[in-house]
């Protein structure tokens, strides 16, 4: 009755922290080409993250939640998706979004404060990075269920954090997904902290993956700093969901190396030796060692990416105040049209089709 | 879609017929499901049971469970998954069982349903209709009678509409389902069983338009939802007292149809706004403020509000004290600073 629903005692690991092959039978090791692609994406992702963090310190961005330390989770998930699948990322998943192929400057639109989302979700099959916790889990379930109703071969993969597992929407999403057998994969990046609150104050469950059994969902616990293991597990989950086996819950055990955001001070709630422990488990060095790489193979490419971000972030976008009144509704209601004319002191004579404007050119609102 | 719907009888909805509001809404859902295979209906008990108010009666049997189905009991889940479905091209119509039971969905409605189009610069619109039976007057117990409209009207990006009569309920619901925007569709429970003989058609005032239901010379009474019939009752009673009341049904609470309402108030020079919800920070406050700003020089008296009391919704045996009735509307009318006889 419960067969296959519980995670293994030890997190799934294909490559150990020292860079050696772990003896495991759960999933096959991805081929060298895939592992190299994972490593390359992690190098780019880390460099992107460092560059954006630096730009934030310089005041070029309003805020930035760093992905450093979680590159294996984010690239392993993003690269496991097929082109027709959808990704539902959170605010901390910029590296996953960049790995999905979205222009880094479009990713930074929201963090720069230019608009709330800078890319086309439909074009990239990537939802806007979600700020409220866990609400995106339900969007993923709905999208996946719609895909099933339409006989589309599409899986929705949703990223969430350990803190989000306490939210009611996570419960509802797991339950809906299981009841509907929706092709959706939940990837929980357990980085140990919800801002400052450690996991043991968040849950009394044996692990976050153990939560799946209560919903009848197959669950896996994976070493989130092992890109090979994350990729293999998410890939298997996507295949299973696509084949009609229903949803999968994956807990990826990782660590947030930086503070919650640039506005946070992590020294107030965690110790240096804990950070040092996780530095030993660095996802990039582990995979480089396994692949026999020097670690500098993709540095030039990453440096080009960083330089491009630096250059383009050096120019301030100047969003138009008129854009405030766009896309509130499919068509601008008359009352909003009048408020815009009034607020922006626009000449009514220069605008056609605005009824009810006073002759002096000011709106009535 | 895997389900092939039965052929519709085209004349079914177009001939004049005696129909309740619940029946008209049921007809609207059936016709919308028939007209557009992207439309799906789900929520709590909306399948074989047909909804606790029977608004979805027979739809699951007619269209199959891939079009009309029972969801798990969780309102945030219902709206949240509807958002995902709309992102993938469907047009979900979901039901919240009662007004106060919609509150678990508040975050999904206000933070995502309302904002996705704006957040994505128009790239992802969410044509979702959230049907909410609302309001009192049915002797319901706690949590079953809230007038929750301003929680939604205060959120830009949502269209918020209320229906008051069977024929307009049919029209509004069809229009709401066809809208590219998310619509909060408020159904006055106390009028579910009121009947009207009418032709059910989408023609008539558009989704965002108010309508003058009863023309009059002296006072504009502005009402919506369950209070429209009360306002019309006041107009009938007022005739005996010498008042000729014009009654406007707002229909769309957001956006607000300034043009129709201000035209009426400029004609009559006096206005009373009626709603069941508490008056403090209620919808009538916005209406009174807008009309004062736009019609100040036409007004012969301050705009008055006739509303529910500023209290939690009372138990059934006391709700009559809370809810506006025709007498209270006429009391307000009498206080509109009449220097001369009404109509002079």
């Amino acid at each position: 009755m419960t067969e296959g629903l519980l995670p293994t005692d030890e997190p799934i690991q294909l490559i150990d922290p020292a860079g050696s092959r772990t003896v495991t039978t759960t999933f096959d090791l991805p081929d060298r080409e895939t592992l190299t692609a994972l490593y390359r994406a992690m190098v780019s992702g880390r460099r992107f993250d460092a560059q954006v963090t630096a730009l934030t310190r310089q005041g070029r961005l309003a805020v930035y939640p760093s992905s450093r330390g979680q590159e294996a989770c984010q690239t392993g998930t993003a690269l496991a998706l097929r082109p027709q699948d959808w990704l539902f990322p959170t605010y901390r998943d910029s590296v996953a979004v960049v790995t999905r192929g979205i222009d880094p400057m479009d990713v930074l639109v929201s963090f720069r404060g230019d608009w709330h989302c800078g890319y086309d979700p439909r074009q990239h099959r990537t939802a806007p990075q979600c700020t409220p916790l866990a609400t995106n889990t339900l969007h993923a379930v709905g999208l996946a269920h719609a895909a099933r109703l339409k006989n589309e071969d599409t899986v929705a993969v949703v990223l969430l954090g350990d803190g989000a597992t306490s939210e009611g929407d996570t419960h509802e999403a797991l339950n809906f997904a299981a009841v509907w057998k929706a092709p959706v994969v939940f990837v929980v990046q357990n980085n140990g902290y919800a801002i400052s609150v450690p996991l043991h104050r968040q849950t009394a469950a044996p692990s976050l993956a153990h939560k799946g059994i209560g919903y009848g969902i197959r669950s896996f616990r994976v070493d989130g700093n092992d890109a090979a293991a994350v990729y293999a597990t998410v890939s298997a989950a996507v295949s299973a969901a696509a084949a009609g086996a229903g949803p999968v819950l994956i807990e990826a055990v990782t660590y947030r190396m930086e503070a919650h955001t640039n506005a946070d001070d992590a020294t107030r709630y965690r110790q240096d030796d804990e950070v040092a422990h996780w530095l030993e488990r660095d996802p990039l060095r582990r995979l480089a060692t396994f692949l026999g790489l020097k670690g500098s193979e993709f540095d030039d490419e990453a440096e080009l990416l960083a330089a491009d971000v630096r250059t383009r972030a050096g120019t301030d976008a100047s969003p138009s105040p008129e854009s405030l009144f766009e896309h509130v509704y499919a068509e601008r209601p008359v009352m909003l049209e009048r408020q815009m004319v009034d607020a922006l002191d626009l000449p009514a004579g220069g605008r056609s089709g605005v009824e009810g404007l006073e002759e002096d050119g000011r709106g009535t609102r | 879609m895997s389900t092939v719907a039965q052929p519709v009888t085209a004349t079914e909805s177009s001939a004049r017929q005696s129909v309740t509001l619940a029946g008209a809404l049921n007809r609207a859902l059936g016709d919308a499901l028939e007209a557009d295979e992207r439309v799906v209906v789900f929520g709590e008990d909306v399948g074989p049971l047909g909804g606790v108010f029977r608004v979805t009666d027979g739809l699951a049997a007619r269209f199959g469970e891939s079009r009309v189905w029972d969801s798990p009991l969780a309102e945030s889940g219902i709206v949240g998954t509807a958002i995902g479905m709309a992102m993938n091209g469907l047009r979900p119509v979901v039901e919240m069982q009662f007004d106060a039971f919609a509150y678990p969905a508040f975050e999904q409605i206000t933070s995502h349903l309302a904002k996705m189009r704006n957040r994505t610069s128009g790239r992802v619109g969410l044509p979702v209709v959230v049907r909410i039976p609302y309001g009192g007057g049915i002797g319901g117990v706690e949590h079953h009678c809230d007038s929750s409209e301003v929680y939604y009207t205060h959120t830009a990006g949502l269209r918020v509409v209320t229906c008051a009569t069977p024929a307009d309920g049919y029209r509004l619901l069809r229009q709401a389902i066809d809208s590219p925007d998310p619509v909060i569709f408020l159904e006055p429970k106390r009028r579910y069983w009121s009947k009207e003989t009418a032709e059910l058609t989408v023609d008539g005032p558009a989704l965002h338009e108010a309508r003058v239901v009863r023309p009059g010379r002296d006072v504009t009474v502005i009402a919506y939802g369950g209070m429209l019939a009360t306002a019309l009752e006041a107009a009938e009673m007022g005739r005996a007292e010498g008042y000729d009341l014009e009654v406007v049904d707002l229909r769309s609470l957001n956006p607000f149809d300034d043009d129709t309402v201000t035209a009426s108030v400029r004609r009559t020079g006096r206005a009373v706004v009626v709603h069941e919800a508490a008056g403090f920070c209620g919808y009538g406050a916005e209406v009174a403020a807008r009309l004062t700003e736009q019609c100040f020089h036409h007004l012969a008296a301050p705009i008055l509000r006739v509303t529910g009391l500023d209290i939690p919704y009372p138990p059934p045996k006391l709700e009559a004290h809370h809810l506006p009735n025709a007498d209270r509307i006429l009391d307000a009318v009498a206080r509109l600073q009449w220097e001369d006889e009404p109509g002079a």
Side-chain angles (χ1 to χ4, degrees):
Chain A
M1 191 176 173
T2 59
E3 194 183 337
L5 296 179
L6 279 171
T8 48
D9 286 342
E10 288 299 314
I12 296 164
Q13 188 184 74
L14 302 184
I15 299 171
D16 70 20
S20 301
R21 177 79 168 97
T22 306
V23 179
T24 179
T25 55
T26 313
F27 295 112
D28 292 338
L29 187 72
D31 60 29
R32 186 173 179 87
E33 188 185 351
T34 302
L35 293 175
T36 306
L38 283 165
Y39 180 68
R40 183 180 177 184
M42 286 200 292
V43 170
S44 281
R46 177 163 293 183
R47 186 67 191 89
F48 166 80
D49 199 80
Q51 182 60 65
V52 176
T53 298
L55 288 166
T56 308
R57 292 203 180 101
Q58 294 162 23
R60 309 296 307 184
L61 277 78
V63 68
Y64 182 68
S66 169
S67 298
R68 191 160 78 91
Q70 300 179 214
E71 294 90 347
C73 299
Q74 297 193 17
T75 62
T77 299
L79 292 180
L81 268 62
R82 305 165 301 168
Q84 70 267 37
D85 297 328
W86 270 77
L87 179 68
F88 287 78
T90 75
Y91 55 84
R92 193 176 302 291
D93 301 315
S94 296
V95 166
V97 177
V98 170
T99 305
R100 188 84 167 129
I102 296 173
D103 186 326
M105 291 311 294
D106 290 345
V107 178
L108 295 184
V109 161
S110 60
F111 301 116
R112 297 178 78 192
D114 296 337
W115 199 251
H116 306 303
C117 174
Y119 52 87
D120 183 348
R122 292 195 193 284
Q123 182 192 342
H124 301 284
R125 296 201 159 224
T126 301
Q129 288 179 262
C130 191
T131 303
L133 297 190
T135 51
N136 60 337
T137 57
L138 285 163
H139 306 165
V141 174
L143 185 132
H145 186 60
R148 264 194 97 201
L149 291 175
K150 295 160 70 178
N151 292 318
E152 289 173 359
D153 178 20
T154 297
V155 173
V157 178
V158 57
L159 293 168
L160 61 155
D162 43 299
T165 64
S166 297
E167 292 278 5
D169 275 3
T170 301
H171 157 69
E172 296 188 18
L174 289 166
N175 191 47
F176 273 60
V179 171
W180 290 351
K181 282 192 99 174
V184 57
V185 178
F186 299 85
V187 179
V188 180
Q189 293 177 75
N190 172 7
N191 67 17
Y193 290 89
I195 301 189
S196 68
V197 179
L199 186 69
H200 72 271
R201 291 194 181 278
Q202 201 69 245
T203 181
S207 80
L208 297 176
H210 278 79
K211 289 172 182 265
I213 191 170
Y215 303 100
I217 291 182
R218 289 175 67 206
S219 302
F220 298 92
R221 194 155 184 257
V222 58
D223 182 337
N225 284 21
D226 177 0
V230 173
Y231 177 87
T233 308
V234 177
S235 293
V238 168
S239 296
V248 178
L249 170 64
I250 297 168
E251 176 190 3
V253 182
T254 184
Y255 194 75
R256 191 191 75 209
M257 297 305 295
E258 299 284 341
H260 167 63
T261 67
N262 54 294
D264 177 37
D265 175 9
T267 64
R268 293 176 70 97
Y269 52 82
R270 66 187 195 189
Q271 308 300 316
D272 286 348
D273 56 352
E274 183 180 286
V275 179
H277 167 75
W278 282 93
L279 275 171
E280 293 299 310
R281 305 176 66 82
D282 182 66
L284 276 72
R285 193 173 58 233
R286 180 189 308 205
L287 191 50
T289 305
F290 179 79
L291 289 169
L293 301 174
K294 292 196 294 286
S296 58
E297 279 79 1
F298 299 108
D299 283 1
D300 290 350
E301 180 181 281
E303 210 46 57
L304 281 175
L305 169 77
D308 178 51
V309 167
R310 257 195 325 273
T311 305
R312 290 198 281 160
T315 312
D316 274 328
S318 48
S320 145
E322 209 163 321
S323 67
L324 294 171
F325 298 90
E326 291 169 1
H327 308 302
V328 181
Y329 299 89
E331 284 179 39
R332 189 155 44 228
V334 174
M335 62 184 250
L336 202 53
E337 182 80 13
R338 290 174 184 163
Q339 188 172 67
M340 178 180 77
V341 167
D342 198 24
L344 304 181
D345 207 12
L346 299 175
R351 307 189 64 82
S352 59
V354 187
E355 293 177 10
L357 291 174
E358 292 169 4
E359 286 185 359
D360 66 0
R362 300 298 301 273
T364 52
R365 283 283 301 159
Chain B
M1 313 299 295
S2 55
T3 303
V4 179
Q6 297 166 8
V8 72
T9 42
T11 54
E12 195 173 52
S13 299
S14 54
R16 283 181 66 84
Q17 55 198 286
S18 174
V19 63
T20 63
L21 175 59
L25 296 172
N26 176 268
R27 203 69 58 76
L29 289 170
D31 289 354
L33 283 157
E34 192 67 54
D36 187 345
E37 68 167 9
R38 298 171 300 174
V39 174
V40 294
V41 171
F42 69 100
E44 295 156 15
D45 302 302
V46 302
L49 180 69
V52 295
F53 292 105
R54 305 294 182 264
V55 172
T56 56
D57 191 28
L59 298 178
R62 184 172 157 202
F63 293 97
E65 65 176 328
S66 67
R67 303 287 307 280
V68 181
W69 70 92
D70 287 326
S71 73
L73 201 165
E75 291 78 11
S76 185
I78 291 167
V79 175
T81 54
I83 288 169
M85 289 179 210
M87 290 175 77
N88 203 358
L90 298 185
R91 302 179 83 93
V93 182
V94 299
E95 177 175 308
M96 303 283 103
Q97 203 154 67
F98 284 87
D99 31 58
F101 297 162
Y103 301 150
F106 193 73
E107 184 186 20
Q108 289 288 352
I109 291 172
T110 53
S111 289
H112 295 296
L113 186 63
K115 292 176 178 165
M116 190 68 81
R117 175 182 295 282
N118 187 250
R119 177 182 298 143
T120 61
S121 303
R123 288 153 169 159
V124 181
L126 296 176
V128 175
V129 176
V130 181
R131 294 180 39 244
I132 307 178
Y134 90 114
I138 60 163
V141 293
E142 195 182 12
H143 311 300
H144 289 69
C145 294
D146 283 10
S147 287
S148 41
E149 60 268 31
V150 290
Y151 300 137
Y152 307 110
T153 55
H154 198 61
T155 301
L158 298 175
R159 291 185 179 274
V160 183
V161 302
T162 63
C163 56
T165 65
D168 201 45
Y170 176 89
R171 176 188 301 117
L172 261 179
L173 187 50
R174 292 296 307 271
Q175 291 170 341
I177 295 169
D178 282 344
S179 171
D181 298 313
V183 181
I184 303 297
F185 191 90
L186 298 165
E187 301 171 3
K189 291 188 286 280
R190 65 194 304 179
R191 308 299 176 203
Y192 268 143
W193 306 282
S194 64
K195 277 194 173 176
E196 181 181 17
T197 299
E199 180 187 348
L200 299 183
T201 169
V202 292
D203 300 334
L207 184 64
H208 63 278
E209 287 176 336
R211 60 179 181 144
V212 176
V213 177
R214 181 192 194 280
R217 284 175 304 162
D218 299 335
V219 180
T220 300
V221 180
I222 299 156
Y224 53 88
M227 283 292 102
L228 181 71
T230 308
L232 289 169
E233 184 190 345
E236 280 307 305
M237 289 165 57
R239 188 153 48 178
E241 299 178 24
Y243 297 111
D244 184 13
L245 305 186
E246 177 149 307
V247 177
V248 173
D249 176 9
L250 287 181
R251 302 176 78 247
S252 174
L253 303 185
N254 189 1
F256 184 81
D257 181 358
D258 287 297
D259 291 353
T260 300
V261 183
T262 57
S264 171
V265 173
R266 284 175 183 146
R267 264 196 314 273
T268 62
R270 290 177 169 84
V272 172
V273 194
V274 187
H275 57 68
E276 292 185 23
F280 185 78
C281 287
Y283 192 76
E286 173 64 26
V287 175
R290 295 182 82 83
L291 294 177
T292 304
E293 288 167 1
Q294 296 179 54
C295 308
F296 185 71
H297 296 293
H298 300 268
L299 289 173
I303 296 162
L304 295 183
R305 292 171 286 166
V306 178
T307 70
L309 307 174
D310 296 332
I311 58 172
Y313 199 88
K317 287 180 180 169
L318 291 169
E319 74 175 341
H321 298 279
H322 172 72
L323 294 170
N325 56 30
D327 283 336
R328 283 177 57 196
I329 294 171
L330 287 173
D331 284 348
V333 166
R335 288 191 284 124
L336 292 174
Q337 305 194 5
W338 302 96
E339 292 164 15
D340 307 305
E341 288 302 302

